[in-house]
Amino acid sequence: MNAHAFSRFHGVRSEPLGEASAPAPAPAPGWSLRPLSGRFDLVYEDGQGVWSRRTVEARELKLGPGRTLLGGIDPGRGGYRGFRTDRIRRLTDAATGERLEGGILDWLMARAEAQRRADAARIRRTARARRRAALAEVA
C-alpha cells in the first residue's frame, strides 16, 4: 500500500498556490507554552560550561519533559533564542532591577502567571467597556 495514500498532502490542493496562510506550528507533544514578556539580563552557562552575559526580550516560557526554556529575542546574538532555565546562573529584571541567583524558574513561572492574570483582566475590562458603549448607542 502507498504510505502517502492517506496523508493530507495527497491529491489536489483546495486553495490556489500563494494564497494559503502558513499554519501555526503546534508545540511538540508534552510541551506547553506560557506567554512571558520583559527584558532580562542573564548570566548564562552554555553546554560547554562557558559563562556569558546575555540580554533577552522574553516572549515565552516553554515547559517540557525534563527541561524548561526561556524563549526570546537576543539582540546581541542575532535573533530568537531559547535558554535552558537550569543554565541561567543569574537573572536581572531590567525594569525593576530585581536580581535573582536562585529560584529563577519559580520566579519566571510566577511572573508568567501574573502577566496572564493581568492580561485576562484587561481583556475583560475592554469587553465590558465595549458592551456598555454598544448599549449606550442603542438606548
Side-chain angles (χ1 to χ4, degrees), residues 6 14 59 70 87 108 119 138:
F6 298 105
S14 61
R59 298 291 187 253
L70 170 63
R87 291 185 179 167
L108 288 169
D119 289 345
V138 173

Side-chain angles (χ1 to χ4, degrees), residues 5-131:
F6 298 105
S7 76
R8 65 186 197 133
F9 300 109
H10 183 71
V12 180
R13 292 180 60 98
S14 61
E15 66 271 351
L17 287 175
E19 293 184 19
S21 62
W31 286 82
S32 65
L33 300 176
R34 306 248 171 114
L36 178 68
S37 62
R39 184 177 181 95
F40 304 117
D41 295 319
L42 309 176
V43 173
Y44 186 73
E45 180 180 358
D46 67 8
Q48 287 76 36
V50 178
W51 289 30
S52 61
R53 290 177 169 258
R54 311 280 183 97
T55 299
V56 179
E57 291 286 338
R59 298 291 187 253
E60 62 195 2
L61 203 55
K62 295 180 179 182
L63 307 167
R67 71 176 49 147
T68 303
L69 303 174
L70 170 63
I73 306 297
D74 182 0
R77 303 285 170 123
Y80 182 90
R81 296 279 191 257
F83 298 96
R84 286 181 45 175
T85 57
D86 61 330
R87 291 185 179 167
I88 298 173
R89 301 298 171 222
R90 183 172 58 224
L91 181 139
T92 305
D93 185 355
T96 64
E98 186 175 1
R99 182 175 168 175
L100 301 166
E101 293 186 12
I104 293 171
L105 176 58
D106 293 335
W107 186 86
L108 288 169
M109 294 285 291
R111 175 144 179 178
E113 179 62 18
Q115 287 180 353
R116 185 195 65 77
R117 287 181 182 170
D119 289 345
R122 181 184 44 80
I123 290 168
R124 281 193 303 271
R125 282 192 308 271
T126 303
R128 275 190 224 122
R130 286 183 181 164
R131 278 195 303 269

